Structure formats: structure tokens, C-alpha cells
Amino acid sequence: MEHIRLPKVENVRLLDRVSPRRSRVGTLYLTATHTIFVENEAGVLHSLVCSVEKQAATASGCSLLVRCKNFQVLHFVVPRERECHDVHLSLQRLSQPERCEELYCFSYKPNVDEAERRQEWDFLDLKADYSRMGLPNSLWKFSPVNQHYKVSDTYPADLFVPQSATPPVIVGSSKFRSRGRFPTLSYYSKENHAAICRSSQPLSGFSARCLEDEQMLEAILRSNPRSDFMYVVDTRPKLNAIANRAAGKGYENEDNYSNIKFQFIGIENIHVMRNSQQKMLEVCELRSPSMSDFLEGLESSGWLKHIKAVLDAGIFIAKAVAEEGVSVLVHCSDGWDRTAQVCSVASVLLDPHYRTLRGLMVLIEKDWVSFGHKFSHRCNHLVGDPKEVSPAIDQFLESVWQLMEQFPCAFEFNARFLITIHSHVYSCQYGNFIGNNQRERVELRLRERTHSLWSYLWKNQTDYINPLYRPDHSQTQGLLRPSTAPYFLKPGIHMCQSY
Amino acid sequence: MEFAELIKTPRVDGVILHRPFMPTVEGTLCLTGHHLILSSRQDNAEELWLLHSNIDSIEKRFVGSLGSIIVKCKDLRVIQLDIPGMEECFNIASSVEALSTLDILSLMYPFFYRPMFEVIEDGWNSFLPEDAFKDLETMTDEWRLSDVNKDCTVCPSYPPLVAVPKDVDDDTLRKVATFRHSGRFPVLSYYHKKNGMVMMRAGQPLTGTNGRRCKEDEKLINATLRPGKRGYIIDTRTINLAQQAKARGGGFESEANYPQWRRIHKAIERSNILQESLIKLVEACNDQSHSMDRWLSKLEASNWQTHVKEILTTACLAAQCIDREGASVLVHGTEGTDSTLQVTSLAQIILDPACRTIRGFQGLVEREWLQAGHPFHHRCAQSAFSNSKPRQEAPVFLLFLDCVWQILRQFPCSFEFSESFLVLVFDHAYASQFGTFLGNSTAERAKLSLPEKTVSLWSWVNRPQELERLTNPLYEANSLVIWPSVAPQSLLLWEGVFLRWNRSSKCLDEAYEEMVHIIEYNKELQNKVNSLRRQLAQLETEDPLLQTLE
């Protein structure tokens, strides 16, 4: 509360972006967690505020632009400059918490009793999803090797590894991988035993080898008895991967690993993606742009090009698994951004279950939350290094939206579901996306202190159901084969929100 | 002339047909006077029936003795035919080329086509100016139907009957006609029932460099103003273009001579630029390089979406003047047969719910395009693939349909027709078995005796089974004015036309069927609810016990 310089400002105008005539006058309240505009009850969560910009004062008042992480832009006009200044400073501080305890999830207390709250966290069970895949079985086993986050502090405690991978092989392999992120199972296809595995880059430098890492890949290959080779997909552009070799990292040498086919898929890094999104948002904010301004901006942002790259990578992997029956190991640098995107897009394409409400939640919980996508850093929950921010999850959700556009009957959920998830990834209202990995979340005792988004979504599922979906529809079955011809991709979530 | 003279080889066996997203078909290729036909002689395999007039360009390729012809159609479809034998291939190609470029109207297919369906209502008589005027008379008595153009000499591109202000006599009209481009004197385009404001259209005034004026012209358009009210003149050209037009005898209404009118200039492009734009757009849509940057930069460079935005913006402006400002509007460009009609017809889609029904839309196309003298024969002679130098071709009408589609997409429940109706109208404007879009004006159509010798597209459309196919299942009559967004984000590429042949529409079709199914199921349930309610009400009135309980 000490950061609120001015709790209430009257006669504030909220401008309508599309038609200025429809602006509204009301009272602006600042609370510890929300900015509330009373007249139409518009509330903005402070954790959703991305930036606050104060513009030069004019006769009608002082403009305050509040840009939100869900791409909403609110344009307030505050009558007196002094007040505007205070609101500006308060909001700036409130939207950038310094300590974790300041996050909204710790003060969010809906009317739910403790037993019910605890049940919320049991709603999704990752082990159940692995058993749905048919695991463990004679090819893949549960491994307790990372129980106390000793082997990789950014991996989950529960992992599945090839039956023939012994603890020394796992530990040895982990020492040869960035942040100890050794190859482990992400998705397994019951039908043909092909699997998607994920890891970080090997510490191969120019010539280093690691017997255990080679044995680890061998073990993955052996767990797919019908196949005599496997793909290793490096989702980075080749140049980036080569540059990493100088730092003692790099990529697998085909000569050292038996029966692998190595493949680069050029998805750009987090910095390129951050800039791309920034440009995309600038395009959305243009004031009455011409068609050329818009299309040129869209092109130069590169946003759709990156979405296409993520989709293409997912398609490559999904086809390898479903059509060739070949297992794939996916990695990028650390294996928590591009790898998460590509594995989860491939899973959506492969398995109809992930196209259901519950399935998509499980998929995000597995490939993103449990495998250590750095939500706190990427979403800038706490004031931190701006270079760590990146829209990896935005791109995943938008990729799913592109698929929904092409297969309108294949998904149980609607676009609103994606948008709601997107908002809450950033809102910090629920504990699900706080912290950078499972270890941090356990330390923060989130399961004990916060609420879970998943059960909230499940309870409100009627809002998120796609009426065109039928479980027995032909589009619902099997592998999706989307077209990524450029003209089929449209600017997605950004447009939905800024409108 | 006999078609046989042009057909060098009427029939070739073993021809293979390639179409995107469809299996190849092997069969016999036949050429008739009007069709290219491929028959597989198997019951289930689909045959190809292609009108020669639908063929925009044809290319030959030879690999050894196997020749291929690539046929590019006006509906933007591209197909390939592999023809065994050099000579056959050569003959087929040159025959098709000759048949598809025949420019003799009286030899066109509609003159030979005999309907295989029962004509319930003759489309040629469905939308006569006198009937439209009867509707107008129920709303106002300020207008009259003039037959000053009965022999089409005052204005060759106008129909014999036009609506003009009641107090303006035919002599005045004749004088005004000499002051307007191609004799296109101001006529009524639309009457806004809500507030009695009107939209008129005309050709540009022939002021020339020395500022010629015409008192009768001023009197005519002032006659449409309410006392003390001002009107708007929307000139679809930029002020620069309008200035330049003076050197060629054209011009615009000066403030001095038209003090009661405010003139607004917009920038809708002229026809040759639109044609170039279409060619570039279609080229971009058929680019197989699959690079996102390349696609977006080509889409941008084509300027097609820019034209859509500009036309819609101008139409919104006209509609705004009428509905919001309560002012009457006169629209013109140069000739008043292209951009003018785009604006007047789209403004009516925005303002008038009747134009958003299937029949109302037909009426709109009849009034504002066919009878208003849009030169369809010239504009639609070639489409995006033509190699020949464009003369008067331009996708003016296609742009109009594109704009309607944009509005339909933004207001999916406000139109009685679905997208397929717009696509159908596009197809038939460029190549058809029906006579509706032949010729450049009502006068030309009468001279060719089209109403007597050909079948109208509307005769075919206005039958229950066709109407059902074209009806939008989401339609709920909306009596309001609908304001489309013209922000670039809101305007999409019309996939249904430009990517029609480059995509498999299976999944989208299935989604559509699913939607129809849900709507029907919903209706069924609603009926059930209603009948149960009736039953309940009946039981309540019949049952004395219930009554006493109450």
C-alpha cells in the first residue's frame, strides 16, 4: 500500500481506441493489486501491466497509456497533471513487484475453503497422462533419479527414461548437457512405439565426446524396436548452434552417435522473438494505419514467419513419429523455450487428447511448467533482466490458434480458452506459472499457498467449449496435417486482444 | 461462321487431367463450340466441363512427344492437361485459344444454352425499373420516373426509365445530359426511408478549363435538397486527378456554382491500375515459394487490400453523410460507371437491410450495376492470367464483391446469403451460360434481344433448391445500419475466391455442415419446447383441479 501515492482520481476519461467519440468518464481507483476504473467496472490487474507511459499534458488533461501483457492498451486522460504524475509513479512501482510475496496469487483469496483449494491442485496428474500413453512399459520406465533435483535442478522430479538407461548413463549424459538437462521422454506413441524426447544442447564444443550421452541416445533408439535410426532435431538456426561450439556447447556429431539423423530447424532465439513481438504490437497500436503500413509492419515484425517456423518444426516431428515411426530427440540451447514449443505443437498434432480441454492443460503442465520453462523470467513477473523476457508461450498458443483456424472441428476448446490461459500466464493470479521450475515452486510452497488455474478453467468449461467439436468427428481423429503456406497464417491472438 | 472451322481436332484419347487437391483423371478430351470436356467414361469419376469463355490463357509445354497444356481460367483455377501426340496437343491448344477469344457476342454460349430446369420466375422481368419505382412511390412522392432516355439517345449507358426529381422536366434533363460525362445526368440511386435523404449518381460535370456552368444541372441537384439543408458531393477521384480532368473537358462542381454542396475527394483507383493489382495478387497467391516475407511483401505490393479499404471507406463516408449527417449525397468519378457504382452499391449494403437478402442483392446488382451501365463485357473480358495487353478490363465488380464479403465476414448474421452466393455471382460475371452479364448496357442487351434469347442467372438462382444452397444458416433479419470496420486488421484476403483452388476446403466445409446441423437441431428443440408449452397451457386451462389450486 505504501506505493500508492493517490488512491482515487475523479473525472478520468477512458478513451476508446476505435472511435474517440465513445470515450467514458469515471473514477480511477488504485488498490494494492488492481487499477479500477469505475463507470463500466473496468479493472486491470497490476501484474498484467506491461508498461505505463505518461504523455505531455494538453488542455483536456494529461494522457496516461497503460499497456498490458495481454495486449490491451488503456488510454486514460487524467484532468490534472499532478494527479497523472502520481498515478503514473504508483502504477510503475505496482506493476513491477520486487519480491515474490508481492505477487497477486499470494493475496488472491476467492471464497473457497482449504480442502477444496487443495483439491484444485490435484485436478491434473501428470503421471496419469503418462499412463494414458501406456507408460511405464517394457520400453520406458519411471526414473527417480531426479527426485531431489540433484541431477538437473530445472527438471521435474518425475521422469521417464528408456528401459536400458542405467543411472550412471543418465548422470553421465546429464554432465554432458547444458544445465544437466539430459534426454528424457516427452511423448510416447502407443501405436508404433516412436517417442519424442527432449534435452538441452550437448557440451560438445569442437570435438568433445561423452560415452554415456552416446549410450543414452542408443538407449532411446533401442526403446523403439521397429526403427533402426532416430532423428536429432536442433531447433536453432545452424549458425547459432555453430557459434555455441566456441563456448564449449554445440550439437551432436553424426559420426559419434550411431544411427542418428541430425537436422537443424531454424527457429530464432528469445531475443529475436521478443523484438518481433514488440514490433508486432507497435503495428497493432498504429493510429489509422494504411493497408501498406499494416502489411509492411506485419512483414518486418517477422512474427508470422516465426509462427510458421514453430509450426513447421512441430509438423516435421509429428510426421516422423506418426508416419515414419521414428523417434526424435529435440533440443535447442537450454531446452526450455523452443524445445517446449516444438514438442508441444507436435503433441497437439499427433494426439487428439491434447486437443481437448483437459488435454491442453495437461500438455502445458507437462511440456512447459514441469520441464522448467522459465515463466517468471520470460513473463517478467518480478522486476528483472529485460533480456530474459520472451513470448515463447504466446507463440505456442498462437500456433494452436492457427491450427484451430484450419481444423475448426478438431479442438474441444475455443479461442477464448487460449486467450484466458494467455492472460493468466501473465496475471499471477494463480500459482501455476510462478517461478522458473518445479524446484522453485516447491520452495515457494505454491501448492499450499495459492490457487490453481486449471480447476478454475475446468469449472467454467462451458465458456470454453467449441460447439463444432465432436469426439467422433473425422477431423478429431489422428494426426493433423496442416498447411503452413504463408497465406493460410493470420495474425492471431494479438489482433483478438487489441480489438 | 461455323465453330467447326475453329476446331482442328475435336477429340483426343488418353488425356490426363491434373487439378490441385484432386486425383488425376485419364480420359477422352472433346472440344465443342463452347466447351472443353474431359470424360473418363467411368461412372464415378468426375468429368470436366469447362466453358471456353472461362479460359483466360493457355500455355503449351512439350517434353518429348508428350505435350501439356496449362489452362488458366477466369475463375482463377489452373489445370493441366497432358495430351499424347505433339500435333494433337498443338491443335487442341490453338483451337481452344481461338474459341476462347471469340469476341462475337451473338456466338456466346448463352444464345445456345437451353435450361434443363423449370423456370419458375423469369429473372429478366424480376427487377424492372418501373417495379423498383413502385416501391419508391410508397415512401415518397418527390420523384418521378422519366422516359426521356426511352430510345437510349440522351444517355446510351442508362436504362430507358430513370428516377429523377419530380419538379425537373425532360427538357432540363436533356440539357443536363450534355453537361455530364457520357450524358450521365444525376439520377436517383437510393432513397433512405429513415430520414428521406437520397443518394444520386452521375458522370463528372463537363466544366472544362474555362469553368463552364449549367444552370439546369445546378437546379436538378438542388431540387433534391430540403430547404436550408446542405448536401455532399463525393468525388471518387483525388482533387489532383479531378483538376487534371478539366484539361480533357471534364471537371468537378465548383463551390461558387454549387454553394449548397460540400465536395469531398477520395482516392479510388482507376480501372487499369485495378487490373494490374489483380494480376499481382493472383500471382502472389500462386507463388509456391512458401516464404512468409515474400508472401507478405507481394500481398502488400499488389495493393489489392488497399483498394478494398479505400472503396469501403468511401462507401462508409457516403452512408455516414446520409444516415448520420442527414444529408443527401451525389457520387461521381469520371464516367460514373465504375468507382461510382462501387460506392453507391456498397453504401446501400450498409444502409438498407433489404440489400442484404438474396433477392435484394440481386436487385442491387441489377439496379446499380447492370442497369446503371457498368460495362461488364469490357471489364470482364479477361481476368488475372491474360497475356494480352489489357484494354478495358478491370476487376471493378470483383472488388465490389470482395467488399461485400468483408462486410459479410464482419456481420455474419446480417446477410441472408452466404459467401457461396458472392462467389457464384463472380463466376457468372466472367463466364456463364446465362445472358445476365453479357453486353455493356441495357441498350446493348436489348439490341441483342438477350431477354428473349437467353436465360437469366436469376431465373436459375430463384428456385428453392438453389436458394437453399445459397442461404446463410446464421441469418437473422437485422433492420439496422451496419458499420463495417475498415481498419487494416479487419480486412482479410478473400480466401474463397483467391485461394479457392489452392486449398482443400474439406475441413472448412465440414465445419460449415456441423454448424448447419447444430442450428437445425436447435430449431427442432425450440419447436419441441413451444409445443410442450402449448400442451402445458392447454392442460392448465382444461384441468379444473389446477385452476382451483391457483
Side-chain angles (χ1 to χ4, degrees):
Chain A
M1 284 306 267
E2 70 275 21
H3 307 300
I4 301 170
R5 290 161 161 255
L6 193 67
K8 177 182 168 191
V9 189
E10 284 176 355
N11 286 321
V12 173
R13 268 190 301 140
L14 176 61
L15 300 189
D16 189 301
R17 278 192 63 225
V18 186
S19 82
R21 269 192 250 166
R22 266 187 285 165
S23 67
R24 293 163 299 202
V25 179
T27 307
L28 191 69
Y29 293 93
L30 292 190
T31 73
T33 53
H34 288 76
T35 292
I36 301 166
F37 181 76
V38 175
E39 194 271 326
N40 63 335
E41 307 266 303
V44 184
L45 204 54
H46 290 147
S47 32
L48 264 180
V49 172
C50 176
S51 72
V52 193
E53 187 190 319
K54 191 178 137 231
Q55 295 178 333
T58 63
S60 59
C62 193
S63 275
L64 196 67
L65 268 179
V66 180
R67 293 189 179 84
C68 301
K69 290 174 180 173
N70 64 357
F71 316 128
Q72 242 188 333
V73 182
L74 297 171
H75 188 170
F76 292 108
V77 180
V78 183
R80 271 179 292 279
E81 184 170 12
R82 179 75 224 155
E83 292 170 336
C84 186
H85 182 73
D86 284 345
V87 172
H88 180 215
L89 286 184
S90 312
L91 258 182
Q92 236 170 10
R93 175 59 189 82
L94 289 166
S95 64
Q96 290 179 314
E98 285 158 4
R99 291 171 301 118
C100 227
E101 279 62 37
E102 290 180 39
L103 293 175
Y104 183 44
C105 60
F106 295 110
S107 55
Y108 173 60
K109 298 274 179 275
N111 193 13
V112 173
D113 67 38
E114 179 56 22
E116 209 178 310
R117 197 199 59 76
R118 240 174 290 135
Q119 272 176 12
E120 287 180 5
W121 286 102
D122 296 329
F123 170 67
L124 284 192
D125 177 8
L126 287 188
K127 274 216 174 132
D129 192 51
Y130 287 109
S131 49
R132 189 192 60 88
M133 292 182 209
L135 300 180
N137 63 6
S138 61
L139 302 167
W140 294 88
K141 63 180 180 192
F142 173 77
S143 165
V145 70
N146 202 38
Q147 274 312 306
H148 302 288
Y149 310 108
K150 289 274 164 49
V151 179
S152 170
D153 60 353
T154 61
Y155 259 4
D158 299 345
L159 289 164
F160 280 83
V161 294
Q163 199 57 255
S164 60
T166 58
V169 166
I170 296 172
V171 174
S173 165
S174 81
K175 292 199 168 123
F176 189 64
R177 296 272 167 181
S178 282
R179 307 291 305 257
R181 294 169 69 91
F182 59 89
T184 175
L185 185 86
S186 164
Y187 178 76
Y188 169 77
S189 162
K190 258 197 303 229
E191 284 84 37
N192 60 12
H193 308 302
I196 302 175
C197 295
R198 55 185 289 174
S199 69
S200 60
Q201 63 185 336
L203 305 175
S204 53
F206 290 102
S207 59
R209 297 183 58 166
C210 168
L211 187 63
E212 289 91 341
D213 194 60
E214 290 161 25
Q215 286 171 339
M216 188 74 195
L217 265 66
E218 183 79 47
I220 293 172
L221 178 57
R222 232 176 295 146
S223 285
N224 183 5
R226 279 186 233 161
S227 171
D228 51 10
F229 77 96
M230 69 185 278
Y231 287 110
V232 175
V233 171
D234 188 329
T235 57
R236 298 169 293 182
K238 191 173 180 182
L239 269 177
N240 300 25
I242 290 172
N244 262 296
R245 292 211 305 206
K249 300 163 185 173
Y251 54 93
E252 292 81 356
N253 183 339
E254 274 188 355
D255 299 338
N256 299 341
Y257 295 81
S258 40
N259 306 315
I260 67 163
K261 280 193 187 167
F262 187 85
Q263 183 95 33
F264 281 114
I265 293 183
I267 302 177
E268 297 291 346
N269 64 26
I270 57 166
H271 312 295
V272 174
M273 298 309 193
R274 178 178 59 246
N275 293 335
S276 168
Q277 187 180 45
Q278 192 48 45
K279 281 190 193 153
M280 179 75 177
L281 290 172
E282 280 163 21
V283 174
C284 297
E285 258 194 69
L286 286 175
R287 282 183 163 268
S288 50
S290 74
M291 204 73 214
S292 295
D293 294 339
F294 176 72
L295 289 173
E296 272 169 20
L298 196 59
E299 184 196 337
S300 76
S301 78
W303 182 258
L304 287 177
K305 182 172 71 186
H306 300 315
I307 297 292
K308 176 169 155 61
V310 171
L311 279 169
D312 281 333
I315 292 168
F316 175 84
I317 291 160
K319 280 193 173 164
V321 169
E323 289 177 354
E324 296 181 67
V326 174
S327 292
V328 188
L329 171 65
V330 186
H331 69 72
C332 45
S333 299
D334 291 309
W336 50 43
D337 295 307
R338 287 170 272 201
T339 301
Q341 290 178 327
V342 169
C343 289
S344 50
V345 167
S347 297
V348 167
L349 293 171
L350 278 167
D351 193 333
H353 178 63
Y354 296 123
R355 307 195 284 260
T356 64
L357 238 77
R358 186 189 274 271
L360 189 79
M361 298 194 251
V362 169
L363 186 65
I364 293 174
E365 189 63 32
K366 175 165 68 82
D367 271 333
W368 293 81
V369 177
S370 88
F371 272 107
H373 174 68
K374 304 201 292 172
F375 281 103
S376 268
H377 286 164
R378 297 293 180 256
C379 307
N380 212 14
H381 289 336
L382 297 171
V383 57
D385 183 359
K387 287 210 169 65
E388 281 283 324
V389 178
S390 196
I393 184 92
D394 305 35
Q395 289 179 320
F396 166 64
L397 294 171
E398 176 151 335
S399 300
V400 175
W401 181 83
Q402 301 286 358
L403 298 175
M404 286 161 67
E405 283 286 291
Q406 289 191 31
F407 302 95
C409 306
F411 292 82
E412 191 192 13
F413 46 83
N414 57 21
R416 195 168 162 195
F417 186 58
L418 299 180
I419 290 167
T420 309
I421 293 177
H422 180 263
S423 278
H424 283 299
V425 163
Y426 288 92
S427 75
C428 300
Q429 184 167 344
Y430 296 92
N432 305 67
F433 310 106
I434 310 298
N436 290 314
N437 50 57
Q438 205 174 65
R439 187 181 49 81
E440 281 186 29
R441 276 187 293 276
V442 170
E443 281 166 14
L444 285 166
R445 295 192 303 117
L446 287 162
R447 282 180 82 104
E448 285 83 55
R449 298 165 66 199
T450 69
H451 291 266
S452 167
L453 173 65
W454 304 134
S455 77
Y456 164 81
L457 293 175
W458 188 252
K459 274 182 210 143
N460 294 285
Q461 54 177 288
T462 43
D463 291 349
Y464 306 122
I465 292 286
N466 168 16
L468 300 180
Y469 173 82
R470 261 195 294 123
D472 57 345
H473 196 284
S474 65
Q475 270 182 46
T476 317
Q477 318 304 317
L479 176 70
L480 294 184
R481 291 182 181 78
S483 161
T484 57
Y487 34 71
F488 291 127
L489 303 187
K490 301 160 206 160
I493 290 181
H494 292 77
M495 298 302 160
C496 300
Q497 285 286 322
S498 64
Y499 247 154
Chain B
M1 195 207 65
E2 291 288 328
F3 290 116
E5 294 166 20
L6 297 174
I7 302 170
K8 291 180 185 153
T9 300
R11 199 188 128 153
V12 190
D13 290 322
V15 173
I16 298 168
L17 166 68
H18 302 268
R19 286 174 292 190
F21 298 100
M22 286 198 215
T24 54
V25 182
E26 188 179 339
T28 302
L29 181 75
C30 298
L31 288 187
T32 72
H34 294 107
H35 284 99
L36 182 158
I37 302 161
L38 187 103
S39 157
S40 66
R41 307 195 174 216
Q42 275 159 9
D43 295 337
N44 53 354
E46 203 190 316
E47 300 184 332
L48 177 76
W49 277 78
L50 197 63
L51 264 178
H52 293 315
S53 55
N54 190 3
I55 295 173
D56 207 25
S57 87
I58 186 160
E59 287 164 26
K60 298 180 285 279
R61 276 185 208 158
F62 291 98
V63 182
S65 67
L66 181 80
S68 296
I69 59 173
I70 293 160
V71 180
K72 300 183 174 178
C73 303
K74 290 174 188 166
D75 59 18
L76 309 182
R77 162 172 36 169
V78 178
I79 57 173
Q80 185 182 328
L81 295 162
D82 296 343
I83 299 168
M86 287 261 264
E87 203 192 327
E88 280 83 357
C89 183
F90 226 88
N91 285 346
I92 293 285
S94 63
S95 311
V96 170
E97 187 131 36
L99 289 162
S100 62
T101 49
L102 259 188
D103 198 24
I104 304 167
L105 268 175
S106 59
L107 291 179
M108 299 298 268
Y109 185 53
F111 289 100
F112 299 81
Y113 170 76
R114 291 291 157 260
M116 302 290 281
F117 58 86
E118 189 200 347
V119 176
I120 297 167
E121 177 193 344
D122 185 359
W124 286 113
N125 300 323
S126 298
F127 306 98
L128 299 173
E130 46 270 43
D131 294 333
F133 187 76
K134 270 181 209 142
D135 292 340
L136 180 71
E137 273 182 317
T138 64
M139 302 184 273
T140 172
D141 58 359
E142 295 165 40
W143 296 80
R144 71 182 182 90
L145 204 56
S146 163
D147 65 354
V148 66
N149 196 41
K150 60 176 176 288
D151 40 15
C152 296
T153 49
V154 177
C155 173
S157 58
Y158 273 171
L161 295 170
V162 289
V164 295
K166 195 173 196 171
D167 304 333
V168 178
D169 59 31
D170 284 357
D171 279 341
T172 312
L173 294 177
R174 278 189 204 98
K175 277 181 197 143
V176 176
T178 62
F179 182 64
R180 291 275 172 179
H181 195 112
S182 308
R184 293 176 69 90
F185 56 88
V187 294
L188 181 76
S189 160
Y190 171 66
Y191 180 85
H192 197 44
K193 194 176 173 185
K194 191 169 126 193
N195 60 9
M197 294 301 132
V198 295
M199 181 161 58
M200 287 174 298
R201 50 177 160 75
Q204 65 176 342
L206 303 175
T207 58
T209 39
N210 51 11
R212 205 180 129 214
R213 72 187 279 191
C214 171
K215 285 269 169 43
E216 291 80 3
D217 187 71
E218 294 157 27
K219 183 186 155 206
L220 192 166
I221 73 165
N222 285 340
T224 66
L225 291 177
R226 297 274 162 82
K229 279 269 190 182
R230 272 159 65 99
Y232 288 88
I233 294 174
I234 296 176
D235 191 326
T236 61
R237 306 161 296 177
T238 60
I239 177 75
N240 281 339
L241 278 178
Q243 287 281 9
Q244 286 161 24
K246 285 185 177 172
R248 289 186 299 275
F252 52 86
E253 297 83 354
S254 68
E255 287 83 357
N257 299 340
Y258 297 83
Q260 285 164 283
W261 295 82
R262 219 189 117 201
R263 208 177 62 247
I264 303 173
H265 289 274
K266 298 299 286 180
I268 300 182
E269 286 294 354
R270 290 186 52 76
S271 50
N272 51 342
I273 291 169
L274 301 183
Q275 182 67 7
E276 233 168 75
S277 172
L278 174 68
I279 291 168
K280 281 189 191 160
L281 175 70
V282 171
E283 207 266 315
C285 292
N286 289 314
D287 180 352
Q288 300 297 327
S289 78
H290 289 226
S291 141
M292 183 59 79
D293 285 354
R294 194 157 143 180
W295 157 247
L296 287 173
S297 79
K298 279 185 160 188
L299 176 64
E300 196 265 315
S302 80
N303 269 328
W304 183 266
Q305 299 292 88
T306 302
H307 302 315
V308 169
K309 182 168 161 27
E310 193 60 42
I311 294 164
L312 266 178
T313 307
T314 311
C316 286
L317 172 75
Q320 221 164 358
C321 290
I322 293 169
D323 188 69
R324 294 273 168 94
E325 307 282 323
S328 286
V329 171
L330 169 68
V331 185
H332 70 73
T334 304
E335 297 90 347
T337 52
D338 295 288
S339 58
T340 305
L341 306 182
Q342 288 171 331
V343 175
T344 55
S345 53
L346 284 168
Q348 292 178 58
I349 293 273
I350 293 168
L351 293 169
D352 186 1
C355 293
R356 298 175 222 140
T357 64
I358 297 183
R359 201 180 171 87
F361 188 77
Q362 297 168 22
L364 183 74
V365 169
E366 274 287 340
R367 285 195 319 276
E368 291 300 306
W369 290 90
L370 291 160
Q371 293 163 16
H374 176 67
F376 278 98
H377 180 64
H378 286 152
R379 296 289 182 258
C380 301
Q382 301 285 342
S383 93
F385 297 115
S386 161
N387 302 319
S388 57
K389 206 168 164 277
R391 292 154 309 202
Q392 302 186 59
E393 291 80 4
V396 177
F397 187 63
L398 173 57
L399 270 163
F400 157 70
L401 295 174
D402 194 328
C403 292
V404 177
W405 177 78
Q406 305 284 352
I407 307 176
L408 166 65
R409 209 190 58 80
Q410 291 182 29
F411 297 89
C413 306
S414 297
F415 288 80
E416 192 193 11
F417 50 86
S418 61
E419 175 182 2
S420 51
F421 182 46
L422 296 174
V423 177
L424 176 114
V425 173
F426 158 66
D427 286 347
H428 284 278
Y430 278 84
S432 179
Q433 65 270 42
F434 303 109
T436 301
F437 292 102
L438 287 184
N440 289 313
S441 62
T442 305
E444 274 189 40
R445 278 184 281 275
K447 213 159 137 198
L448 288 162
S449 316
L450 286 177
E452 296 78 37
K453 292 185 178 164
T454 73
V455 181
S456 162
L457 171 63
W458 316 131
S459 304
W460 184 67
V461 167
N462 290 325
R463 295 172 306 133
Q465 57 270 53
E466 276 316 306
L467 290 173
E468 196 190 317
R469 205 173 62 79
L470 302 170
T471 301
N472 172 11
L474 293 173
Y475 178 60
E476 275 175 43
N478 170 5
S479 60
L480 299 174
V481 175
I482 51 176
W483 298 107
S485 159
V486 293
Q489 294 95 311
S490 317
L491 304 177
L492 295 187
L493 178 73
W494 190 6
E495 284 183 31
V497 162
F498 297 110
L499 302 176
R500 174 162 45 150
W501 313 101
N502 300 359
R503 63 172 184 182
S504 157
S505 62
K506 184 176 157 277
C507 290
L508 300 179
D509 294 346
E510 283 170 356
Y512 185 82
E513 273 165 35
E514 203 61 36
M515 181 183 76
V516 172
H517 177 76
I518 291 171
I519 291 167
E520 275 166 10
Y521 182 59
N522 190 40
K523 268 186 205 151
E524 222 173 87
L525 289 179
Q526 238 149 31
N527 288 340
K528 217 180 232 170
V529 168
N530 291 341
S531 84
L532 285 173
R533 278 214 182 104
R534 271 196 303 275
Q535 266 183 41
L536 183 68
Q538 207 167 12
L539 285 173
E540 278 172 351
T541 52
E542 280 169 8
D543 192 335
L545 188 66
L546 265 174
Q547 279 173 343
T548 50
L549 276 177
E550 274 168 14

